[in-house]
């Protein structure tokens, strides 16, 4: 059966893996022996791979029909596998061989020498090599930390640049310290809403608009809501700035003033029961709804999301926690306790359950010395 290899970015491979599973659910992504290389089942067209990479936060490249080799100082075996691959996966046009090092180094392995040998192999097969303007790039992706080498025709970015991470919330016209980083915001939108075309996504506490900007940039139907009119004005300024910057002439993304505890009042009737994704980053300190305590505000917001959700909806909730060591290669264990800045984990778990959101997974994102974030991925369950 055909297999594709996805190369995950180093920022948070475990979150990147979850994002990939949300964007390509029918390909059943699984992690390999390398934390940065995921396997996808079944055929994947170059255009679908390109489309996925163009909206993904955590995935850097996809190697089509690729394979993973466990390096044991066995260059000749690797080259034999590459030769067989090239014979079975013919391409037209000009070729380049692209070494991509994602983690550490391999002993007795020189990526430039291997690239040269594969280039020689291609020339002997009668293929034209053009490193500056190739039609096809064959990648040798090296993970020294797990001794894995992934090979295949590459779709995506070999520059090693962190893609969406190059964009900073501070570059926008309206910035507040609460603004989420674009890479986390985009990842959360994808995790919550899944493939493009699934249905609308809502951020009921939009602040400076971090999630909605990413939803707009990836051409999703999206609505941001905030109770504070200064935030609504500022996030709309950000949205217009982004659309102009990215030359997006038509976008259905909107930001309006409204109350997260009554989402139904802010949305078009046709969205009721259709909303596929919710992203939620509740206020850190005293909230704008001064009369409600943190847990009551959250319970009412989650309940109001449930009332308009599709029964296939997912919700990503991001809450601040005391700083924890970075844990980027796996989700938290079910029983792991975390110290929330507001309230305690058991109450949060309980209130999500009673408002119809079943927790699927949790991850820690380290922010700085005194702050981490808990990213909670949940799915709709009917309420009796
Ligand atoms: C932590 S901030 C969101 C930050 C946002 N993710 C960003 O990237 O800028 C929380 C926001 O929730 C808003 N908020 C608080 N209570 C609300 C309510 N009941 N309805 C809607 N928005 C509310 C606050 O005005 C604030 O802008």
């Amino acid at each position: 059966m055909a297999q594709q290899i996805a190369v995950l970015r180093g920022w948070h491979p475990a979150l990147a893996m979850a994002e990939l599973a949300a964007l390509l659910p029918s390909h059943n992504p699984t992690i390999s022996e390398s934390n940065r290389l995921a396997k996808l089942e079944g055929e994947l067209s170059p255009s679908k791979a390109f489309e996925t990479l163009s909206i993904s936060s955590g995935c850097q490249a996809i190697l089509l029909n690729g394979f993973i080799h466990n390096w044991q100082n066995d260059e000749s075996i690797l080259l034999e596998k590459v030769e067989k691959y090239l014979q079975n996966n013919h391409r037209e046009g000009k070729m380049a061989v692209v070494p991509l090092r994602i983690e550490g180094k391999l002993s007795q392995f020189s990526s430039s020498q291997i690239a040269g040998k594969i280039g020689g192999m291609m020339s002997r097969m009668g293929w034209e090599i053009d490193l500056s303007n190739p039609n096809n790039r064959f990648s040798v992706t090296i993970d020294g930390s797990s001794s894995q080498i992934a090979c295949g025709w590459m779709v995506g970015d070999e520059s090693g640049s962190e893609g969406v991470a190059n964009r900073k919330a501070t570059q926008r016209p309206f910035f507040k310290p609460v603004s989420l980083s674009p890479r986390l915001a985009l990842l959360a939108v994808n995790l919550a809403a899944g493939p493009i075309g699934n249905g609308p996504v809502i951020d009921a506490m939009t602040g400076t608009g971090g999630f909605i900007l990413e939803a707009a940039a990836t051409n999703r139907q999206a609505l941001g809501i905030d109770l504070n009119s200064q935030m609504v004005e500022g996030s709309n300024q950000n949205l217009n700035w982004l659309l102009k910057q990215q030359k997006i002439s038509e976008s259905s993304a909107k930001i309006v003033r409204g109350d997260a505890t009554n989402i139904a009042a802010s949305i078009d009737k046709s969205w009721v029961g259709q909303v596929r994704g919710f992203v939620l980053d509740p206020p850190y300190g005293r909230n704008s709804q001064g009369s409600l305590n943190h847990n009551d505000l959250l319970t009412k917001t989650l309940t109001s999301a449930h009332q308009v959700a599709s029964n296939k909806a997912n919700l990503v909730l991001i809450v601040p926690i005391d700083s924890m060591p970075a844990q980027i290669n796996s989700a938290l264990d079910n029983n792991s306790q975390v110290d929330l800045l507001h309230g305690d984990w058991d109450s949060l778990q309980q209130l999500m359950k009673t408002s119809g959101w079943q927790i699927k997974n949790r991850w820690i994102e380290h922010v700085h010395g005194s702050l981490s974030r808990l990213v909670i991925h949940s799915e709709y369950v009917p309420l009796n």
Side-chain angles (χ1 to χ4, degrees):
M1 203 214 263
Q3 175 184 270
Q4 326 297 330
I5 308 296
V7 182
L8 307 177
R9 294 187 192 281
W11 157 58
H12 203 307
L15 272 174
M17 187 63 202
E19 182 197 39
L20 198 60
L23 291 177
L24 292 173
S26 52
H27 292 273
N28 194 25
T30 48
I31 202 69
S32 70
E33 282 176 49
S34 159
N35 292 318
R36 302 273 307 271
L37 298 171
K39 296 178 191 172
L40 306 174
E41 284 172 9
E43 300 291 341
L44 187 68
S45 66
S47 59
K48 181 74 186 165
F50 181 79
E51 183 193 297
T52 304
L53 289 167
S54 65
I55 63 166
S56 159
S57 170
C59 187
Q60 180 175 353
I62 295 180
L63 311 184
L64 293 173
N65 291 330
F67 66 87
I68 300 180
H69 175 73
N70 185 19
W71 176 250
Q72 292 174 325
N73 302 337
D74 49 358
E75 185 181 294
S76 56
I77 297 182
L78 175 64
L79 289 173
E80 263 173 44
K81 285 186 184 171
V82 170
E83 186 160 19
K84 204 164 152 204
Y85 174 93
L86 294 175
Q87 283 162 353
N88 292 333
N89 292 276
H90 261 270
R91 288 274 173 118
E92 298 295 328
K94 301 172 197 166
M95 317 291 172
V97 181
V98 177
L100 171 62
R101 208 173 79 201
I102 48 175
E103 299 268 336
K105 280 187 173 175
L106 283 178
S107 69
Q108 296 179 40
F109 185 90
S110 155
S111 38
S112 54
Q113 264 180 34
I114 284 279
K117 285 182 185 174
I118 298 173
M121 200 183 276
M122 288 176 171
S123 298
R124 287 193 295 283
M125 291 168 78
W127 295 358
E128 186 184 345
I129 307 291
D130 183 342
L131 298 184
S132 51
N133 194 21
N135 305 102
N136 305 292
R137 290 167 305 148
F138 180 84
S139 175
V140 181
T141 300
I142 302 130
D143 177 6
S145 63
S146 63
S147 299
Q148 305 294 296
I149 300 177
C151 297
W153 293 120
M154 176 164 76
V155 181
D157 174 21
E158 76 266 29
S159 69
S161 94
E162 283 288 304
V164 63
N166 288 336
R167 294 195 276 115
K168 303 271 179 271
T170 45
Q171 295 162 339
R172 300 177 190 144
F174 180 67
F175 170 76
K176 295 271 174 204
V178 290
S179 303
L180 287 176
S181 69
R183 67 181 175 190
L184 179 60
L186 176 59
L187 197 139
V189 166
N190 285 333
L191 197 55
I196 302 286
N198 253 1
V201 56
I202 289 184
D203 172 8
M205 294 176 159
T206 211
T208 62
F211 292 125
I212 298 304
L213 266 63
E214 297 310 319
T218 49
N219 199 20
R220 291 179 185 276
Q221 274 184 292
L223 180 72
I225 301 169
D226 206 289
L227 201 53
N228 180 329
S229 32
Q230 195 204 348
M231 290 295 191
V232 175
E233 197 180 310
S235 54
N236 266 311
Q237 218 182 329
N238 282 346
L239 180 58
N240 292 333
W241 169 85
L242 175 104
L243 297 178
K244 205 166 164 189
Q245 273 241 321
Q246 303 215 352
K247 300 187 173 59
I248 301 172
S249 53
E250 269 183 48
S251 166
S252 59
K254 282 198 175 65
I255 299 172
V256 298
R257 183 162 184 277
D259 188 343
T261 65
N262 186 6
I263 295 174
S266 294
I267 63 174
D268 191 281
K269 296 276 169 294
S270 65
W271 278 26
V272 176
Q274 302 300 321
V275 182
R276 279 298 285 264
F278 295 88
V279 273
L280 199 60
D281 173 23
Y284 282 26
R286 241 180 69 79
N287 58 67
S288 354
Q289 198 122 339
S291 55
L292 284 181
N293 75 35
H294 198 268
N295 276 4
D296 288 346
L297 175 62
L298 205 48
T299 308
K300 289 194 166 168
T301 301
L302 293 175
T303 305
S304 96
H306 197 268
Q307 283 161 357
V308 300
S310 141
N311 59 10
K312 294 188 182 128
N314 278 229
L315 180 144
V316 174
L317 170 65
I318 300 181
V319 290
I321 57 172
D322 278 346
S323 181
M324 282 182 74
Q327 184 173 328
I328 60 170
N329 289 322
S330 59
L332 278 185
D333 286 340
N334 283 347
N335 318 323
S336 297
Q337 283 291 329
V338 285
D339 288 324
L340 305 183
L341 290 196
H342 299 292
D344 61 277
W345 170 245
D346 289 339
S347 314
L348 177 57
Q349 202 173 2
Q350 188 55 32
L351 77 81
M352 289 192 74
K353 196 172 163 193
T354 52
S355 14
W357 296 101
Q358 180 166 294
I359 297 174
K360 291 165 83 174
N361 252 323
R362 299 177 298 158
W363 300 267
I364 303 284
E365 195 226 4
H366 179 75
V367 184
H368 54 66
S370 54
L371 181 70
S372 293
R373 288 197 178 98
L374 183 65
V375 179
I376 306 167
H377 185 197
S378 63
E379 65 189 346
Y380 176 101
V381 280
L383 285 172
N384 299 324

